[in-house]
Amino acid sequence: MRILALILCLLVGVGFGAPKKTSVQLSEQKTALKKLESDLAKKRKELALLETEEKGVLNTISLLDQNLNQTRTYINELSKSEKMTQVAVAQLSAEIDSLDSKIQLRKESMKKRIRTLYVKGRSSEAQVLYNLLTQKGNPERQVYWVHHVLYQDKEMVETLLALQKERNGKKKEEMNHLAELSSLRSRKASEEKGLVSQMNSQEKVLSNLKQDKEMQRRALKEFEQNQKTMLSLIKKLEEKRKKEEAEAKKKKAKESKKGLKKTDDKKMATKPKTSIASSVKGPKCMPLEGEIISRYGLQEHPVLHIATRNLGVEIRGKRGKAIRAAAPGTVVMVSEIDGRGPSVILEHEGGTYSVYGHMRTIRVQEGKKVRNCEEIGEVGDIASLNGIKLYFQVSEGTQTVDPLEWLKQK
């Protein structure tokens, strides 16, 4: 009988281990959902402002696309929460059934005990106690059985009450999960309905863009302005680099006149100059694994459907995927750039710059040196017109080059 009880305890322990894990997962999922809801509310507030304020064409398309992507992500997370809550409800239901069986067994046992007391009374137990105390044997075992006889009724009642209390707690938890499940399904249905409306809004804007020449002109003007901003940033960084380089040479020349570092100056004089184009040597790293959706140079824009000249390439990504440094270098800029969203610019040897745009998170600071293929952040869709992607640009000095060809150079 004791062996059977031990087995039951072990089974209960194994059975109750899983819900604890599920409970932690549900808590983490709720936190993730709250953050998504907060981000979504922010984007929808920005979209609402579009109705009252005059916004740029590209900004409008970008916000519509971001909102659409976040709604899809939110629906997926709601589905994930729904499945996890269903699992939790099923586990609780199984535990409640198990507790009901145990409670029933306890009640049956108490009924038998009551019948025994009714038939034999307490006198029989007094005889058992007397025999236990007077017979020879192991004293510890005798004490155990005396305690058992004296307190077995109390233990039976306390155990039954504990089981009933546990059962009530599980039932309450199950009801809470069922209410949460109902809420999740309602929110999911509402978001799915809203998604259709958002898709129609986006389709309407894109359709208008195809037909409205004035809107196309404004979109092209915004696009070209974003390109000029990008080139201007690189120009300023290159001017700063050259100024620092000139100041360093001036300082060395001054020291040379004073007779300092003659050996270093001699070595510098004999050192061959390296051209900008071949300055970044060694293997390079693809900043993001994914489909190339827009290439370098003149082509038709995939969203605007007008001829544009791309300064870089665009690589399709999945939310949260790592962006890596294409080559060793120094972080010279971390900023929000028009048309590119949150971006990082790295300076490499010899005045080569690589740009990483539409980042969801950035994990480096200005001045930090990064290794080849080191993770610098995560891909996102901020300021993107067509989903989650990385904007990747390479400039040698102030001259942009095809990033894909540059990556092949050794």
Side-chain angles (χ1 to χ4, degrees):
M1 191 70 180
R2 291 176 67 192
I3 294 172
L4 179 61
L6 181 61
I7 292 170
L8 284 170
C9 287
L10 288 171
L11 287 172
V12 169
V14 172
F16 290 177
K20 186 178 179 182
K21 185 179 178 183
T22 303
S23 178
V24 171
Q25 288 174 333
L26 275 172
S27 177
E28 290 173 351
Q29 186 65 14
K30 280 182 182 179
T31 303
L33 270 178
K34 282 182 180 178
K35 188 178 184 309
L36 266 174
E37 285 165 2
S38 175
D39 292 343
L40 203 52
K42 185 179 176 182
K43 289 297 175 191
R44 287 174 180 175
K45 189 176 180 181
E46 289 178 32
L47 273 174
L49 286 172
L50 291 175
E51 298 176 1
T52 58
E53 296 181 7
E54 184 66 25
K55 294 283 184 178
V57 176
L58 300 187
N59 190 39
T60 301
I61 296 171
S62 173
L63 284 174
L64 282 167
D65 193 69
Q66 287 176 61
N67 192 56
L68 205 60
N69 286 329
Q70 285 194 316
T71 300
R72 287 193 182 104
T73 301
Y74 184 49
I75 290 170
N76 288 336
E77 289 301 313
L78 284 171
S79 295
K80 187 177 175 182
S81 293
E82 183 184 357
K83 288 176 183 177
M84 289 174 69
T85 306
Q86 283 176 324
V87 169
V89 168
Q91 288 177 339
L92 284 167
S93 181
E95 289 171 21
I96 290 167
D97 287 345
S98 176
L99 286 167
D100 283 341
S101 297
K102 290 175 184 177
I103 289 168
Q104 188 60 35
L105 285 172
R106 288 285 173 180
K107 285 182 177 179
E108 291 297 327
S109 180
M110 287 185 73
K111 284 180 183 178
K112 289 179 182 178
R113 175 67 177 154
I114 291 167
R115 282 198 296 269
T116 301
L117 287 173
Y118 179 78
V119 173
K120 296 183 178 180
R122 286 283 181 180
S123 58
S124 61
E125 290 180 356
Q127 185 63 43
V128 171
L129 285 170
Y130 177 78
N131 292 337
L132 283 169
L133 293 170
T134 55
Q135 70 184 9
K136 292 182 180 181
N138 187 332
E140 290 182 2
R141 186 169 179 79
Q142 287 175 321
V143 169
Y144 167 79
W145 281 108
V146 168
H147 184 276
H148 176 72
V149 170
L150 291 172
Y151 294 101
Q152 65 177 330
D153 290 339
K154 181 184 176 184
E155 287 174 355
M156 285 179 73
V157 172
E158 286 178 348
T159 301
L160 179 60
L161 290 173
L163 286 170
Q164 287 176 330
K165 184 179 179 181
E166 185 181 358
R167 196 260 184 205
N168 291 338
K170 296 287 183 186
K171 189 65 180 176
K172 186 179 179 180
E173 193 177 349
E174 182 189 41
M175 294 303 292
N176 289 338
H177 280 326
L178 286 169
E180 177 66 17
L181 192 59
S182 176
S183 174
L184 286 167
R185 285 169 176 166
S186 176
R187 281 146 65 193
K188 183 181 170 184
S190 176
E191 289 296 330
E192 285 173 338
K193 186 178 179 181
L195 182 65
V196 175
S197 176
Q198 290 169 39
M199 289 171 71
N200 290 337
S201 295
Q202 187 187 51
E203 184 61 36
K204 186 179 178 182
V205 171
L206 294 175
S207 178
N208 289 341
L209 180 62
K210 288 179 183 178
Q211 298 170 16
D212 192 330
K213 295 296 179 183
E214 175 58 23
M215 190 180 282
Q216 286 181 7
R217 187 191 65 77
R218 283 166 50 202
L220 183 59
K221 186 178 178 181
E222 289 171 32
F223 182 85
E224 288 173 347
Q225 183 55 49
N226 290 340
Q227 301 287 63
K228 286 176 183 177
T229 300
M230 192 75 255
L231 291 172
S232 177
L233 286 173
I234 298 297
K235 185 180 178 181
K236 285 178 182 178
L237 289 171
E238 180 61 2
E239 286 172 353
K240 182 184 176 184
R241 184 188 74 84
K242 285 183 175 179
K243 185 180 177 181
E244 289 173 351
E245 193 177 69
E247 287 174 355
K249 285 181 180 178
K250 192 175 179 181
K251 185 179 178 181
K252 283 193 176 184
K254 204 179 236 186
E255 289 174 347
S256 180
K257 286 180 181 179
K258 293 178 180 180
L260 298 173
K261 298 186 178 179
K262 289 182 179 179
T263 307
D264 290 344
D265 289 340
K266 189 177 179 182
K267 285 181 180 178
M268 284 181 67
T270 57
K271 187 177 178 181
K273 290 184 179 180
T274 309
S275 66
I276 289 175
S278 60
S279 60
V280 184
K281 294 181 180 178
K284 299 180 183 68
C285 180
M286 192 70 180
L288 179 71
E289 293 301 324
E291 178 191 358
I292 307 297
I293 57 173
S294 181
R295 294 184 176 273
Y296 177 79
L298 192 65
Q299 61 186 287
E300 182 182 333
H301 194 282
V303 178
L304 304 177
H305 297 290
I306 51 180
T308 56
R309 181 179 176 274
N310 292 344
L311 302 179
V313 297
E314 292 175 335
I315 308 169
R316 175 66 68 216
K318 292 182 179 178
R319 191 177 297 277
K321 285 293 181 181
I323 295 172
R324 304 184 183 279
T330 304
V331 180
V332 288
M333 183 175 284
V334 174
S335 180
E336 184 96 14
I337 301 175
D338 291 344
R340 308 287 177 250
S343 304
V344 168
I345 301 179
L346 301 182
E347 181 188 314
H348 308 284
E349 185 184 356
T352 298
Y353 302 90
S354 58
V355 182
Y356 310 80
H358 306 302
M359 296 178 72
R360 181 181 177 223
T361 57
I362 296 173
R363 294 180 181 156
V364 291
Q365 300 81 38
E366 288 184 13
K368 175 180 168 58
K369 291 191 180 296
V370 294
R371 303 181 305 276
N372 182 43
C373 234
E374 182 177 338
E375 188 175 328
I376 60 173
E378 293 178 359
V379 68
D381 61 354
I382 300 173
S384 168
L385 303 184
N386 55 338
I388 299 167
K389 66 185 181 185
L390 168 68
Y391 172 77
F392 179 53
Q393 175 185 318
V394 175
S395 296
E396 291 178 339
T398 56
Q399 182 65 46
T400 60
V401 297
D402 187 338
L404 300 180
E405 291 301 316
W406 179 79
L407 285 169
K408 292 177 185 177
Q409 295 173 11
K410 302 295 182 184

